[in-house]
Amino acid sequence: MSALLTVPTITIIIMIITFITAIVFQTTNRVIINHFLGWDNYRAMQKEMSDFRKESMAAARSNDKKQLEKIKKKQSQMNAMNAKMMKPQMIQMAITFCYFPIWWLINPYIAQATMPNGSGELVSAVIAIPGVGVLPFFVWYMISSFFMSAFVMRLLGTSITT
């Protein structure tokens, strides 16, 4: 088994794990938002919140008293909308913590794929970059997770902004 756990194999395993977790995360995100608000409604609320933030920033910069009063009146409506949007986000954040056992499950195997760093110590490395050195497992996992999430969001059409 340890012969299979070379650095390139671990890199591919991490990419597969991040792809699977991104699919699970984005699918649950879509299901939760559809259940509580509806996807189109959620996108419309996001756009309205973004527009409100832009208006309030512009009014604050220009110090326009009329516009600031108008924004203050609309603030309670925006707070209520934000509260509606927070419930699915909080549930999704709780689900995100369920991914931490993945680290616990794969850590014994990752620890076997080690490389010496410049000072002769063994470090858990996944990918070596010429001139830079080796990227530790955690760094490679975060980079892979970011790009796989972006890819899956585009693939499934779950990006909030259109």
Side-chain angles (χ1 to χ4, degrees), residues 58-102:
R61 282 190 196 120
S62 67
N63 212 6
D64 184 356
K65 302 279 188 210
K66 274 185 172 179
Q67 190 68 15
L68 287 171
E69 284 298 319
K70 183 180 169 185
I71 287 171
K72 275 189 178 183
K73 290 177 184 176
K74 198 174 180 183
Q75 184 67 44
S76 62
Q77 178 188 1
M78 291 295 119
N79 289 343
M81 187 182 300
N82 193 29
K84 281 175 86 173
M85 292 171 55
M86 285 301 289
K87 188 171 184 175
Q89 291 171 354
M90 289 303 202
I91 292 170
Q92 188 65 31
M93 188 168 47
I95 291 171
T96 302
F97 288 115
C98 296
Y99 296 138
F100 288 121
I102 291 171

Coordinates of all heavy atoms in Angstrom, one line a residue, residues 58-102:
A58 N -22.4 54.9 -1.8 CA -22.4 56.1 -2.6 C -23.0 57.3 -1.9 O -22.4 58.4 -1.9 CB -23.1 55.9 -3.9
A59 N -24.0 57.1 -1.2 CA -24.7 58.2 -0.4 C -23.8 58.6 0.7 O -23.7 59.8 1.0 CB -26.0 57.7 0.1
A60 N -23.1 57.7 1.4 CA -22.2 58.1 2.5 C -21.0 58.8 2.0 O -20.5 59.8 2.6 CB -21.7 56.8 3.2
R61 N -20.5 58.5 0.8 CA -19.3 59.2 0.2 C -19.7 60.6 -0.2 O -18.9 61.5 0.0 CB -18.8 58.4 -1.0 CG -18.0 57.2 -0.6 CD -17.3 56.7 -1.8 NE -16.8 55.3 -1.5 CZ -17.1 54.2 -2.1 NH1 -18.0 54.3 -3.1 NH2 -16.7 53.1 -1.8
S62 N -20.9 60.7 -0.8 CA -21.3 62.1 -1.3 C -22.0 62.9 -0.2 O -22.2 64.1 -0.4 CB -22.3 61.9 -2.5 OG -23.5 61.3 -2.0
N63 N -22.2 62.3 0.9 CA -22.9 62.9 2.1 C -24.2 63.6 1.7 O -24.5 64.7 2.2 CB -21.9 64.0 2.7 CG -22.1 64.1 4.2 OD1 -22.9 63.3 4.8 ND2 -21.4 65.1 4.8
D64 N -25.0 62.8 0.9 CA -26.3 63.3 0.4 C -27.3 63.0 1.5 O -27.7 61.8 1.7 CB -26.6 62.6 -0.9 CG -27.9 63.0 -1.5 OD1 -28.6 63.9 -0.9 OD2 -28.2 62.5 -2.6
K65 N -27.9 64.0 2.1 CA -28.8 63.9 3.3 C -30.1 63.2 2.8 O -30.6 62.3 3.5 CB -29.1 65.2 3.9 CG -27.9 65.9 4.4 CD -27.4 65.4 5.7 CE -26.3 66.3 6.3 NZ -25.4 65.7 7.1
K66 N -30.6 63.6 1.7 CA -31.9 63.0 1.2 C -31.7 61.5 1.0 O -32.5 60.7 1.3 CB -32.3 63.7 -0.1 CG -33.1 64.9 0.1 CD -33.6 65.4 -1.3 CE -34.6 66.5 -1.2 NZ -35.0 66.9 -2.5
Q67 N -30.6 61.2 0.3 CA -30.4 59.8 0.0 C -30.1 59.0 1.2 O -30.6 57.8 1.3 CB -29.2 59.7 -1.0 CG -28.9 58.3 -1.6 CD -30.0 57.9 -2.5 OE1 -30.8 58.7 -3.0 NE2 -30.1 56.6 -2.8
L68 N -29.4 59.5 2.2 CA -29.2 58.8 3.5 C -30.5 58.6 4.2 O -30.6 57.5 4.8 CB -28.2 59.6 4.3 CG -26.7 59.6 3.9 CD1 -25.9 60.6 4.7 CD2 -26.2 58.2 4.0
E69 N -31.4 59.5 4.2 CA -32.7 59.3 4.8 C -33.5 58.2 4.1 O -34.1 57.3 4.8 CB -33.5 60.6 4.8 CG -33.1 61.6 5.8 CD -33.2 61.1 7.3 OE1 -34.2 60.4 7.6 OE2 -32.3 61.3 8.1
K70 N -33.4 58.2 2.8 CA -34.1 57.1 2.0 C -33.5 55.7 2.4 O -34.2 54.8 2.5 CB -33.9 57.4 0.5 CG -34.6 56.5 -0.4 CD -34.4 56.9 -1.8 CE -34.8 55.9 -2.8 NZ -34.5 56.2 -4.2
I71 N -32.2 55.7 2.5 CA -31.5 54.4 2.8 C -31.9 54.0 4.2 O -32.1 52.8 4.5 CB -30.0 54.6 2.6 CG1 -29.7 54.7 1.1 CG2 -29.2 53.5 3.3 CD1 -28.3 55.0 0.8
K72 N -31.9 54.9 5.2 CA -32.3 54.6 6.6 C -33.7 53.9 6.6 O -33.9 53.0 7.4 CB -32.3 55.8 7.5 CG -30.9 56.1 8.0 CD -31.0 57.1 9.1 CE -29.6 57.4 9.6 NZ -29.6 58.3 10.7
K73 N -34.6 54.5 5.8 CA -36.0 53.9 5.8 C -36.0 52.5 5.2 O -36.7 51.6 5.6 CB -36.9 54.8 5.0 CG -37.2 56.1 5.6 CD -38.1 57.0 4.7 CE -38.3 58.3 5.3 NZ -39.1 59.2 4.5
K74 N -35.1 52.2 4.3 CA -35.0 50.9 3.6 C -34.2 49.9 4.4 O -34.2 48.7 4.2 CB -34.4 51.1 2.2 CG -34.7 49.9 1.3 CD -34.2 50.3 -0.1 CE -34.5 49.1 -1.0 NZ -34.0 49.3 -2.4
Q75 N -33.5 50.4 5.4 CA -32.5 49.6 6.2 C -33.3 48.4 6.9 O -32.8 47.3 6.9 CB -31.8 50.4 7.2 CG -30.7 49.7 8.0 CD -29.6 49.2 7.1 OE1 -29.1 49.9 6.3 NE2 -29.1 48.0 7.3
S76 N -34.4 48.7 7.5 CA -35.1 47.6 8.2 C -35.6 46.5 7.3 O -35.5 45.3 7.6 CB -36.3 48.1 9.0 OG -37.2 48.7 8.1
Q77 N -36.0 46.9 6.1 CA -36.4 45.9 5.1 C -35.2 45.0 4.7 O -35.3 43.8 4.5 CB -36.9 46.6 3.8 CG -37.3 45.7 2.7 CD -37.7 46.4 1.4 OE1 -37.7 47.6 1.4 NE2 -38.1 45.7 0.4
M78 N -34.0 45.7 4.5 CA -32.8 44.9 4.2 C -32.3 44.0 5.3 O -31.9 42.9 5.0 CB -31.7 45.9 3.8 CG -31.9 46.7 2.5 SD -31.8 45.6 1.1 CE -33.5 45.8 0.5
N79 N -32.5 44.5 6.5 CA -32.2 43.6 7.7 C -33.0 42.4 7.7 O -32.6 41.3 8.0 CB -32.3 44.4 9.0 CG -31.2 45.4 9.1 OD1 -30.2 45.4 8.4 ND2 -31.4 46.4 10.0
A80 N -34.3 42.5 7.4 CA -35.2 41.4 7.4 C -34.9 40.4 6.3 O -34.9 39.2 6.5 CB -36.7 41.9 7.3
M81 N -34.5 41.0 5.2 CA -34.1 40.1 4.0 C -32.8 39.4 4.4 O -32.7 38.2 4.1 CB -33.9 41.0 2.8 CG -33.7 40.2 1.5 SD -33.4 41.3 0.1 CE -34.9 42.2 0.0
N82 N -31.9 40.1 5.0 CA -30.6 39.4 5.4 C -30.9 38.3 6.4 O -30.3 37.3 6.3 CB -29.7 40.5 6.0 CG -28.3 40.0 6.1 OD1 -27.9 39.1 5.3 ND2 -27.6 40.5 7.1
A83 N -31.8 38.5 7.3 CA -32.2 37.5 8.3 C -32.7 36.2 7.6 O -32.4 35.1 8.0 CB -33.1 38.0 9.3
K84 N -33.6 36.4 6.6 CA -34.1 35.3 5.8 C -33.0 34.5 5.1 O -33.1 33.3 5.0 CB -35.1 35.8 4.8 CG -36.5 36.1 5.3 CD -37.4 36.7 4.3 CE -38.1 35.6 3.5 NZ -39.1 36.2 2.5
M85 N -32.0 35.3 4.6 CA -31.0 34.6 3.9 C -30.0 33.9 4.8 O -29.2 33.0 4.4 CB -30.2 35.7 3.0 CG -31.1 36.2 1.9 SD -30.4 37.6 1.0 CE -28.8 37.0 0.6
M86 N -29.9 34.3 6.1 CA -28.9 33.8 7.0 C -29.2 32.3 7.4 O -28.3 31.5 7.6 CB -28.8 34.6 8.3 CG -28.1 35.9 8.1 SD -26.4 35.7 7.5 CE -25.7 35.0 9.0
K87 N -30.5 31.9 7.4 CA -30.8 30.6 7.9 C -30.2 29.5 7.0 O -29.5 28.6 7.5 CB -32.3 30.4 7.9 CG -32.7 29.1 8.6 CD -34.2 29.0 8.8 CE -34.5 27.7 9.6 NZ -35.9 27.6 10.0
P88 N -30.4 29.6 5.6 CA -29.7 28.6 4.8 C -28.2 28.6 4.9 O -27.5 27.6 4.8 CB -30.2 28.9 3.4 CG -31.2 29.9 3.5 CD -31.3 30.4 4.8
Q89 N -27.6 29.8 5.1 CA -26.2 30.0 5.2 C -25.7 29.3 6.4 O -24.6 28.7 6.4 CB -25.8 31.5 5.1 CG -26.0 32.1 3.7 CD -25.9 33.6 3.7 OE1 -25.7 34.2 4.7 NE2 -25.9 34.1 2.5
M90 N -26.4 29.5 7.5 CA -26.0 28.9 8.8 C -26.0 27.4 8.7 O -25.1 26.7 9.2 CB -26.8 29.4 10.0 CG -26.5 30.8 10.3 SD -24.7 31.0 10.6 CE -24.7 32.4 11.6
I91 N -27.1 26.8 8.1 CA -27.2 25.4 7.9 C -26.0 24.9 7.1 O -25.4 23.9 7.4 CB -28.5 25.0 7.3 CG1 -29.7 25.3 8.3 CG2 -28.6 23.5 6.9 CD1 -31.0 25.2 7.8
Q92 N -25.7 25.6 6.0 CA -24.6 25.2 5.1 C -23.3 25.2 5.9 O -22.4 24.4 5.7 CB -24.6 26.1 3.9 CG -23.6 25.7 2.9 CD -24.0 24.4 2.2 OE1 -25.1 24.0 2.1 NE2 -23.0 23.6 1.9
M93 N -23.1 26.2 6.7 CA -21.9 26.3 7.5 C -21.7 25.1 8.5 O -20.7 24.6 8.6 CB -21.8 27.6 8.3 CG -20.4 27.8 8.9 SD -20.1 29.5 9.6 CE -21.5 29.9 10.5
A94 N -22.8 24.7 9.1 CA -22.8 23.6 10.0 C -22.5 22.3 9.2 O -21.7 21.4 9.7 CB -24.2 23.4 10.6
I95 N -23.0 22.2 8.0 CA -22.7 21.0 7.1 C -21.2 21.0 6.7 O -20.6 20.0 6.7 CB -23.6 21.0 5.9 CG1 -25.0 20.7 6.3 CG2 -23.1 20.0 4.9 CD1 -26.0 20.8 5.2
T96 N -20.6 22.2 6.6 CA -19.2 22.3 6.2 C -18.3 21.7 7.2 O -17.3 21.0 6.9 CB -18.8 23.8 6.0 OG1 -19.7 24.4 5.0 CG2 -17.4 23.9 5.6
F97 N -18.7 21.8 8.5 CA -17.9 21.2 9.6 C -17.9 19.7 9.5 O -17.0 19.1 10.1 CB -18.3 21.7 10.9 CG -18.0 23.1 11.2 CD1 -19.0 24.1 11.3 CD2 -16.6 23.5 11.3 CE1 -18.6 25.4 11.5 CE2 -16.3 24.8 11.5 CZ -17.3 25.8 11.6
C98 N -18.8 19.1 8.8 CA -18.9 17.6 8.7 C -17.7 17.1 7.8 O -17.4 15.9 7.8 CB -20.2 17.2 8.1 SG -21.6 17.5 9.2
Y99 N -17.1 18.0 7.0 CA -16.0 17.6 6.2 C -14.7 17.4 6.9 O -13.8 16.8 6.4 CB -15.8 18.6 5.0 CG -16.9 18.7 4.1 CD1 -17.4 20.0 3.6 CD2 -17.6 17.6 3.7 CE1 -18.4 20.1 2.8 CE2 -18.7 17.7 2.8 CZ -19.1 18.9 2.4 OH -20.1 19.0 1.5
F100 N -14.6 17.9 8.1 CA -13.3 17.8 8.9 C -12.9 16.3 9.1 O -11.8 16.0 9.2 CB -13.4 18.6 10.2 CG -13.3 20.0 9.9 CD1 -14.3 20.9 10.4 CD2 -12.2 20.6 9.3 CE1 -14.2 22.2 10.2 CE2 -12.1 21.9 9.0 CZ -13.1 22.8 9.5
P101 N -13.9 15.4 9.3 CA -13.4 14.0 9.5 C -12.7 13.4 8.3 O -11.9 12.5 8.4 CB -14.8 13.2 9.6 CG -15.7 14.2 10.2 CD -15.3 15.5 9.6
I102 N -12.8 14.1 7.1 CA -12.1 13.6 5.9 C -10.6 13.7 6.2 O -9.8 12.8 5.9 CB -12.4 14.5 4.7 CG1 -13.8 14.1 4.2 CG2 -11.4 14.2 3.5 CD1 -14.4 15.1 3.2

